[in-house]
Amino acid sequence: MWGLSFVATKAALQELAPVTVIFTRFAMGTAVLFVIARLRGQPLRPAFDAWPMLALMGFVGIFIHQLIQVYGLTLTTAVKAGWLIGMIPIWTTLLSAFFLRERLNAPKILGLALGTLGAVVVVTRGQFTSASLSLPTTRGDLLLLASTITWAVYTILGRDTLKRLDSASATAVSMGFGSAMLAPIYLARGGWHEYASLSAVGWGALLFLGIGCSGLGYFFWFAALERLETSQVAAFLYLEAPVTLAAAVSLLGEPVAASTIVGGGLVLAGVYTVQRG
């Protein structure tokens, strides 16, 4: 689902403003998660003492993360986004070692180096010069790289909180906080007016993002975090890249540069090395 999300977001952005896409997506995702919590017989309101952390998660993982990621997507390709997002397991492993005291050994350090090198190759298009990193040509790629760090922080924040709460209702509340933070921008821009001209493709992309990627995707993610180490769960994100690559080429007709493939391969090698470590 998340591998296809970049393609669906690019499709939605052809007809809607970025804030409209994000707010609508996560408002729908919040509703889906509350339905899942009700079907599981879980309380729809987590313990009140957890709300400050859930609000922080909504700020980091929805408001900040999604804004910079979606604006980054308006400036770069879905293919490059899919490869760069592979950096999330690298940052998550590093932050887990620092904050959660998960083990950081030599293979993990090597994996961090490989992943970082791969990201540099993707952003610079294989040209290691100061000009290749100049703005505005790399702005979209750098925004996506920044979004990988915010997602890693979001994952670290959510692990212990959601271990003691029901993942569906707690994720719904944090997502609701994030949506509420986006609401003033959405209302100020009159985002609801944009739905009138939305095509069937646009509606399909928006519903997939809201129900699949935000509702079910986030629920599956945190349900996995309840059962596995943070770095183990994050390593599965490497599957996003090949899914995004196949979808972006076949559905959007995006070109694929050799440097993107090489850099993406280095990112995946780094993730594999970290996981082996």
Coordinates of all heavy atoms in Angstrom, one line a residue, residues 192-258:
W192 N -12.4 22.4 0.4 CA -13.6 21.6 0.0 C -14.1 22.0 -1.4 O -14.8 21.2 -2.0 CB -14.6 21.8 1.0 CG -15.2 23.2 1.1 CD1 -16.2 23.7 0.5 CD2 -14.6 24.2 2.0 NE1 -16.4 25.0 0.8 CE2 -15.4 25.4 1.7 CE3 -13.6 24.3 2.9 CZ2 -15.2 26.6 2.4 CZ3 -13.3 25.5 3.5 CH2 -14.1 26.6 3.3
H193 N -13.8 23.2 -1.9 CA -14.2 23.6 -3.2 C -13.6 22.8 -4.3 O -14.1 22.7 -5.4 CB -13.9 25.1 -3.5 CG -14.7 26.0 -2.6 ND1 -16.1 26.0 -2.5 CD2 -14.3 26.9 -1.7 CE1 -16.5 26.9 -1.6 NE2 -15.4 27.5 -1.1
E194 N -12.4 22.2 -4.0 CA -11.7 21.4 -5.1 C -12.3 20.1 -5.4 O -12.1 19.5 -6.5 CB -10.2 21.2 -4.6 CG -9.5 22.5 -4.3 CD -8.1 22.2 -3.8 OE1 -7.4 21.3 -4.3 OE2 -7.7 22.9 -2.8
Y195 N -13.2 19.6 -4.5 CA -13.8 18.3 -4.8 C -14.7 18.3 -6.0 O -14.9 17.2 -6.6 CB -14.5 17.8 -3.5 CG -13.7 17.7 -2.3 CD1 -14.2 18.1 -1.1 CD2 -12.4 17.1 -2.3 CE1 -13.5 18.0 0.1 CE2 -11.7 17.0 -1.1 CZ -12.2 17.5 0.1 OH -11.5 17.4 1.2
A196 N -15.3 19.4 -6.3 CA -16.3 19.5 -7.3 C -15.8 19.1 -8.7 O -16.5 18.6 -9.5 CB -16.9 20.9 -7.4
S197 N -14.5 19.4 -8.9 CA -13.9 19.2 -10.2 C -13.1 17.9 -10.2 O -12.4 17.6 -11.2 CB -13.1 20.3 -10.7 OG -12.1 20.6 -9.7
L198 N -13.2 17.1 -9.2 CA -12.3 15.9 -9.1 C -12.8 14.8 -10.0 O -14.0 14.5 -10.0 CB -12.3 15.4 -7.6 CG -11.2 14.5 -7.2 CD1 -9.8 15.2 -7.4 CD2 -11.3 14.2 -5.7
S199 N -11.9 14.2 -10.8 CA -12.3 13.2 -11.7 C -12.4 11.8 -11.0 O -12.1 11.7 -9.8 CB -11.2 13.0 -12.8 OG -10.0 12.6 -12.3
A200 N -12.8 10.8 -11.7 CA -12.9 9.4 -11.2 C -11.5 8.9 -10.7 O -11.4 8.3 -9.7 CB -13.5 8.5 -12.2
V201 N -10.5 9.3 -11.5 CA -9.2 8.8 -11.2 C -8.7 9.5 -9.9 O -8.1 8.9 -9.0 CB -8.2 9.2 -12.3 CG1 -6.7 8.9 -11.9 CG2 -8.5 8.3 -13.5
G202 N -9.0 10.8 -9.8 CA -8.7 11.6 -8.6 C -9.4 11.0 -7.3 O -8.7 10.9 -6.3
W203 N -10.7 10.7 -7.5 CA -11.4 10.1 -6.3 C -10.8 8.8 -6.0 O -10.7 8.5 -4.8 CB -12.9 10.0 -6.7 CG -13.7 11.3 -6.4 CD1 -14.3 12.0 -7.3 CD2 -13.9 11.9 -5.1 NE1 -14.9 13.1 -6.7 CE2 -14.7 13.0 -5.3 CE3 -13.5 11.6 -3.8 CZ2 -15.1 13.9 -4.3 CZ3 -13.9 12.4 -2.8 CH2 -14.7 13.5 -3.0
G204 N -10.5 8.0 -7.0 CA -9.9 6.7 -6.7 C -8.6 6.8 -5.9 O -8.3 6.0 -5.0
A205 N -7.7 7.7 -6.4 CA -6.5 7.9 -5.7 C -6.7 8.4 -4.3 O -6.0 7.9 -3.3 CB -5.6 8.9 -6.5
L206 N -7.6 9.3 -4.1 CA -7.9 9.9 -2.7 C -8.4 8.8 -1.8 O -8.0 8.7 -0.6 CB -8.8 11.0 -2.9 CG -8.8 12.1 -1.8 CD1 -7.4 12.6 -1.6 CD2 -9.8 13.2 -2.1
L207 N -9.3 8.0 -2.3 CA -9.9 6.9 -1.5 C -8.9 5.9 -1.1 O -8.9 5.3 0.0 CB -11.1 6.3 -2.2 CG -12.4 7.2 -2.3 CD1 -13.4 6.5 -3.2 CD2 -13.0 7.4 -0.9
F208 N -8.0 5.5 -2.1 CA -7.0 4.6 -1.8 C -6.0 5.1 -0.7 O -5.6 4.4 0.2 CB -6.2 4.3 -3.1 CG -5.0 3.4 -2.8 CD1 -5.1 2.1 -2.5 CD2 -3.7 4.0 -2.9 CE1 -4.0 1.3 -2.3 CE2 -2.6 3.2 -2.7 CZ -2.7 1.8 -2.4
L209 N -5.7 6.4 -0.8 CA -4.8 7.0 0.2 C -5.4 7.0 1.5 O -4.8 6.7 2.5 CB -4.4 8.4 -0.3 CG -3.5 8.6 -1.5 CD1 -3.4 10.0 -1.9 CD2 -2.1 8.1 -1.1
G210 N -6.7 7.4 1.6 CA -7.4 7.5 2.9 C -7.7 6.2 3.6 O -7.3 6.0 4.7
I211 N -8.3 5.3 2.8 CA -8.7 4.0 3.4 C -7.6 3.0 3.5 O -7.4 2.4 4.5 CB -9.9 3.4 2.6 CG1 -11.1 4.3 2.6 CG2 -10.3 2.0 3.1 CD1 -12.2 3.9 1.7
G212 N -6.8 2.9 2.4 CA -5.7 1.9 2.4 C -4.5 2.3 3.1 O -4.0 1.7 4.0
C213 N -3.9 3.5 2.6 CA -2.6 3.9 3.1 C -2.7 4.4 4.5 O -1.8 4.2 5.3 CB -2.0 4.9 2.1 SG -1.8 4.2 0.5
S214 N -3.7 5.3 4.8 CA -3.7 5.9 6.1 C -4.5 5.0 7.1 O -4.0 4.9 8.2 CB -4.4 7.3 6.0 OG -3.7 8.2 5.2
G215 N -5.6 4.5 6.7 CA -6.4 3.6 7.6 C -5.7 2.3 7.9 O -5.1 2.0 9.0
L216 N -5.7 1.4 6.9 CA -5.2 0.1 7.1 C -3.7 0.1 7.2 O -3.1 -0.7 8.0 CB -5.6 -0.8 5.9 CG -7.1 -1.0 5.7 CD1 -7.4 -1.8 4.5 CD2 -7.7 -1.7 7.0
G217 N -3.0 0.9 6.4 CA -1.5 0.9 6.4 C -1.0 1.3 7.8 O -0.1 0.6 8.3
Y218 N -1.5 2.3 8.4 CA -1.0 2.8 9.7 C -1.4 1.7 10.8 O -0.6 1.4 11.7 CB -1.6 4.1 10.1 CG -0.8 5.3 9.6 CD1 -0.7 5.6 8.2 CD2 -0.2 6.2 10.5 CE1 0.0 6.7 7.7 CE2 0.6 7.3 10.0 CZ 0.6 7.5 8.6 OH 1.3 8.6 8.2
F219 N -2.5 1.1 10.7 CA -2.9 0.1 11.6 C -2.0 -1.1 11.6 O -1.5 -1.6 12.6 CB -4.4 -0.3 11.4 CG -4.8 -1.6 12.2 CD1 -4.9 -1.5 13.6 CD2 -5.1 -2.8 11.5 CE1 -5.2 -2.6 14.3 CE2 -5.4 -3.9 12.3 CZ -5.5 -3.8 13.6
F220 N -1.7 -1.6 10.4 CA -0.8 -2.7 10.2 C 0.6 -2.4 10.8 O 1.3 -3.2 11.4 CB -0.7 -3.2 8.8 CG -2.0 -3.7 8.2 CD1 -2.2 -3.6 6.8 CD2 -2.9 -4.4 9.0 CE1 -3.4 -4.1 6.3 CE2 -4.1 -4.9 8.5 CZ -4.3 -4.8 7.1
W221 N 1.0 -1.2 10.5 CA 2.4 -0.7 10.9 C 2.5 -0.8 12.4 O 3.5 -1.4 12.9 CB 2.6 0.7 10.4 CG 3.9 1.3 10.8 CD1 4.2 2.2 11.8 CD2 5.2 1.0 10.3 NE1 5.5 2.5 11.9 CE2 6.2 1.8 11.0 CE3 5.7 0.2 9.2 CZ2 7.5 1.8 10.7 CZ3 7.0 0.2 8.9 CH2 7.9 1.0 9.6
F222 N 1.6 -0.2 13.1 CA 1.7 -0.2 14.6 C 1.4 -1.5 15.2 O 1.9 -1.8 16.3 CB 0.9 1.0 15.2 CG 1.6 2.3 15.0 CD1 1.1 3.2 14.1 CD2 2.8 2.6 15.7 CE1 1.8 4.5 13.9 CE2 3.5 3.8 15.5 CZ 3.0 4.7 14.6
A223 N 0.5 -2.3 14.6 CA 0.3 -3.6 15.1 C 1.5 -4.5 15.0 O 1.8 -5.3 15.9 CB -0.8 -4.3 14.3
A224 N 2.4 -4.3 14.0 CA 3.6 -4.9 13.9 C 4.6 -4.5 15.0 O 5.4 -5.2 15.5 CB 4.2 -4.7 12.5
L225 N 4.6 -3.1 15.2 CA 5.5 -2.6 16.2 C 5.2 -3.2 17.6 O 6.1 -3.2 18.5 CB 5.4 -1.1 16.3 CG 6.2 -0.3 15.2 CD1 5.9 1.2 15.3 CD2 7.7 -0.5 15.4
E226 N 4.0 -3.6 17.9 CA 3.6 -4.2 19.1 C 4.3 -5.5 19.3 O 4.5 -6.0 20.5 CB 2.1 -4.4 19.3 CG 1.3 -3.1 19.3 CD -0.2 -3.4 19.3 OE1 -0.6 -4.5 19.1 OE2 -1.0 -2.4 19.5
R227 N 4.7 -6.2 18.2 CA 5.2 -7.6 18.3 C 6.7 -7.7 18.0 O 7.3 -8.8 18.3 CB 4.4 -8.4 17.3 CG 2.9 -8.5 17.7 CD 2.1 -8.9 16.5 NE 0.7 -9.2 16.9 CZ -0.3 -8.2 17.0 NH1 0.1 -6.9 16.9 NH2 -1.5 -8.5 17.4
L228 N 7.3 -6.7 17.3 CA 8.7 -6.9 16.8 C 9.5 -5.7 17.3 O 9.0 -4.6 17.6 CB 8.7 -7.0 15.3 CG 8.0 -8.2 14.7 CD1 8.0 -8.1 13.2 CD2 8.7 -9.5 15.1
E229 N 10.9 -5.8 17.2 CA 11.7 -4.7 17.4 C 11.5 -3.6 16.4 O 11.2 -3.9 15.2 CB 13.2 -5.1 17.4 CG 13.7 -5.8 18.6 CD 15.2 -5.9 18.6 OE1 15.9 -5.5 17.6 OE2 15.8 -6.5 19.6
T230 N 11.8 -2.4 16.8 CA 11.5 -1.2 15.9 C 12.4 -1.4 14.6 O 11.9 -1.2 13.5 CB 11.9 0.1 16.6 OG1 11.3 0.1 17.8 CG2 11.5 1.3 15.7
S231 N 13.6 -1.7 14.7 CA 14.5 -1.9 13.5 C 14.0 -3.0 12.6 O 14.2 -2.9 11.4 CB 16.0 -2.1 14.0 OG 16.1 -3.2 14.8
Q232 N 13.5 -4.1 13.2 CA 13.0 -5.2 12.4 C 11.8 -4.7 11.6 O 11.7 -5.1 10.4 CB 12.6 -6.4 13.3 CG 13.7 -7.2 13.8 CD 13.2 -8.3 14.6 OE1 12.6 -8.2 15.7 NE2 13.5 -9.5 14.2
V233 N 10.9 -4.0 12.2 CA 9.7 -3.6 11.5 C 10.1 -2.6 10.4 O 9.6 -2.7 9.2 CB 8.7 -2.9 12.4 CG1 7.5 -2.3 11.7 CG2 8.2 -3.9 13.5
A234 N 11.0 -1.7 10.7 CA 11.4 -0.7 9.7 C 12.0 -1.3 8.5 O 11.9 -0.7 7.4 CB 12.3 0.3 10.4
A235 N 12.7 -2.4 8.7 CA 13.4 -3.0 7.6 C 12.5 -3.5 6.4 O 12.9 -3.5 5.3 CB 14.2 -4.2 8.1
F236 N 11.2 -3.7 6.8 CA 10.3 -4.1 5.7 C 10.0 -3.0 4.8 O 9.4 -3.3 3.7 CB 9.0 -4.7 6.4 CG 9.1 -6.1 6.9 CD1 9.4 -6.2 8.3 CD2 9.0 -7.2 6.1 CE1 9.6 -7.5 8.8 CE2 9.1 -8.4 6.6 CZ 9.4 -8.6 8.0
L237 N 10.3 -1.8 5.1 CA 10.0 -0.7 4.2 C 10.8 -0.7 3.0 O 10.5 0.0 2.0 CB 10.3 0.7 5.0 CG 9.3 1.1 6.0 CD1 9.7 2.4 6.7 CD2 7.9 1.3 5.4
Y238 N 11.9 -1.6 2.9 CA 12.7 -1.6 1.7 C 11.8 -2.2 0.6 O 12.1 -1.9 -0.6 CB 13.9 -2.5 1.9 CG 13.7 -4.0 1.8 CD1 13.8 -4.6 0.6 CD2 13.4 -4.8 2.9 CE1 13.6 -6.0 0.5 CE2 13.2 -6.1 2.8 CZ 13.3 -6.8 1.6 OH 13.1 -8.1 1.5
L239 N 10.7 -2.9 0.9 CA 9.9 -3.4 -0.2 C 9.1 -2.2 -0.9 O 8.6 -2.4 -2.0 CB 8.9 -4.4 0.4 CG 9.4 -5.7 0.9 CD1 8.4 -6.5 1.6 CD2 10.0 -6.5 -0.3
E240 N 9.0 -1.1 -0.3 CA 8.3 0.1 -0.9 C 9.0 0.4 -2.2 O 8.3 0.8 -3.2 CB 8.4 1.3 0.0 CG 7.3 1.3 1.0 CD 7.2 2.7 1.7 OE1 6.9 3.6 1.0 OE2 7.3 2.7 2.9
A241 N 10.3 0.4 -2.3 CA 11.0 0.9 -3.4 C 10.7 0.2 -4.7 O 10.3 0.8 -5.7 CB 12.5 0.9 -3.2
P242 N 10.8 -1.2 -4.8 CA 10.5 -1.9 -6.0 C 9.0 -1.7 -6.4 O 8.7 -1.7 -7.6 CB 10.9 -3.3 -5.7 CG 11.0 -3.4 -4.3 CD 11.4 -2.1 -3.8
V243 N 8.1 -1.7 -5.4 CA 6.7 -1.5 -5.7 C 6.5 -0.1 -6.3 O 5.8 0.0 -7.4 CB 5.9 -1.6 -4.4 CG1 4.4 -1.3 -4.7 CG2 5.9 -3.1 -3.9
T244 N 7.1 0.9 -5.8 CA 7.0 2.3 -6.3 C 7.6 2.3 -7.7 O 7.0 2.9 -8.6 CB 7.6 3.3 -5.4 OG1 7.1 3.2 -4.1 CG2 7.5 4.7 -6.0
L245 N 8.7 1.7 -7.9 CA 9.4 1.7 -9.2 C 8.5 1.1 -10.3 O 8.2 1.7 -11.3 CB 10.7 1.0 -9.1 CG 11.5 0.8 -10.4 CD1 11.9 2.1 -11.0 CD2 12.6 -0.2 -10.2
A246 N 7.9 -0.1 -10.0 CA 7.1 -0.7 -11.0 C 5.8 0.1 -11.3 O 5.4 0.2 -12.5 CB 6.7 -2.1 -10.5
A247 N 5.2 0.6 -10.2 CA 4.0 1.4 -10.4 C 4.2 2.7 -11.1 O 3.4 3.1 -12.0 CB 3.3 1.6 -9.1
A248 N 5.3 3.4 -10.8 CA 5.6 4.7 -11.4 C 5.9 4.6 -12.9 O 5.5 5.5 -13.7 CB 6.7 5.4 -10.6
V249 N 6.6 3.6 -13.2 CA 7.0 3.4 -14.6 C 5.8 2.9 -15.4 O 5.5 3.5 -16.5 CB 8.1 2.3 -14.7 CG1 8.3 2.0 -16.2 CG2 9.4 2.9 -14.1
S250 N 5.0 2.0 -14.9 CA 3.8 1.5 -15.6 C 2.6 2.4 -15.7 O 1.9 2.5 -16.7 CB 3.4 0.1 -15.1 OG 3.1 0.2 -13.7
L251 N 2.4 3.1 -14.6 CA 1.2 3.9 -14.5 C 1.4 5.4 -14.8 O 0.5 6.1 -15.3 CB 0.6 3.8 -13.1 CG 0.1 2.4 -12.6 CD1 -0.4 2.4 -11.2 CD2 -1.0 1.9 -13.6
L252 N 2.6 5.9 -14.4 CA 2.9 7.3 -14.7 C 3.8 7.6 -15.8 O 4.0 8.7 -16.3 CB 3.5 8.0 -13.4 CG 2.6 8.0 -12.1 CD1 3.3 8.6 -11.0 CD2 1.3 8.7 -12.4
G253 N 4.5 6.5 -16.3 CA 5.4 6.6 -17.4 C 6.7 7.4 -17.0 O 7.3 8.0 -17.9
E254 N 7.0 7.3 -15.7 CA 8.2 8.1 -15.3 C 9.5 7.5 -15.8 O 9.6 6.2 -15.8 CB 8.2 8.2 -13.8 CG 7.2 9.1 -13.2 CD 7.4 9.4 -11.7 OE1 8.3 8.8 -11.1 OE2 6.6 10.2 -11.2
P255 N 10.5 8.3 -16.2 CA 11.8 7.7 -16.6 C 12.6 7.2 -15.4 O 12.4 7.7 -14.3 CB 12.5 8.9 -17.3 CG 11.9 10.1 -16.6 CD 10.5 9.7 -16.3
V256 N 13.5 6.3 -15.6 CA 14.4 5.8 -14.5 C 15.8 6.0 -15.0 O 16.3 5.4 -15.9 CB 14.1 4.3 -14.3 CG1 14.9 3.8 -13.1 CG2 12.6 4.1 -14.0
A257 N 16.6 6.8 -14.2 CA 18.0 7.0 -14.5 C 18.8 5.9 -13.9 O 18.5 5.3 -12.9 CB 18.4 8.3 -14.0
A258 N 20.0 5.6 -14.6 CA 20.9 4.6 -14.1 C 21.4 4.9 -12.7 O 21.5 4.0 -11.8 CB 22.1 4.4 -15.0

